[in-house]
Amino acid sequence: MSTRTRRAAATAAAVLAPVAIWAVTDPLLGHPLRITDGEETLDLGAAPVAVVALVASLTGWALLAALERFGVRRARAVWAGVAVAVLAVSFLPLTGDGMDTGTRTALTLMHLAVAAVLIPGLAGRPRAHS
């Protein structure tokens, strides 16, 4: 499998993973994902979940491609470090008020699922052909 094909598959899986978590949490278990900020309430549906995961995935892929293109030594390791740092920072909004424990848990699982698929999927080495 080519690097591009493997990375495209990882990107697709990184989009589907949080949508699957949303599908279990919201429609299946009946816990709508809601964030409240004062008087405004944001209901998180499948489309926003997928769009955020897609944007994050494509941004990560673009950064990795740029690092490789400009000859950064150990580009994949540098990228993986940046990806882990971005994952850590992505949890900061989850520490605030405005969401219940179920929503916070689901969002945490979504962040972890995207990272678990994307980091090895984009930075990993292609398999050797047998």
Side-chain angles (χ1 to χ4, degrees), residues 30-72:
H31 183 83
L33 302 181
R34 291 193 176 112
I35 299 172
T36 304
D37 182 21
E39 296 179 12
E40 293 185 40
T41 298
L42 175 65
D43 288 318
L44 298 177
V49 167
V51 168
V52 169
L54 179 61
V55 168
S57 299
L58 293 176
T59 302
W61 187 354
L63 175 60
L64 177 56
L67 291 170
E68 290 173 339
R69 171 85 169 106
F70 292 110
V72 172

Side-chain angles (χ1 to χ4, degrees), residues 42-130:
L42 175 65
D43 288 318
L44 298 177
V49 167
V51 168
V52 169
L54 179 61
V55 168
S57 299
L58 293 176
T59 302
W61 187 354
L63 175 60
L64 177 56
L67 291 170
E68 290 173 339
R69 171 85 169 106
F70 292 110
V72 172
R73 288 186 64 174
R74 299 180 38 83
R76 291 176 184 187
V78 169
W79 180 85
V82 170
V84 169
V86 168
L87 173 63
V89 170
S90 78
F91 290 122
L92 291 177
L94 301 179
T95 62
D97 295 331
M99 65 185 87
D100 61 21
T101 302
T103 297
R104 191 178 323 274
T105 301
L107 291 174
T108 298
L109 290 174
M110 288 178 189
H111 286 225
L112 291 171
V114 170
V117 171
L118 202 61
I119 293 173
L122 292 184
R125 299 211 186 280
R127 294 182 200 160
H129 295 289
S130 314

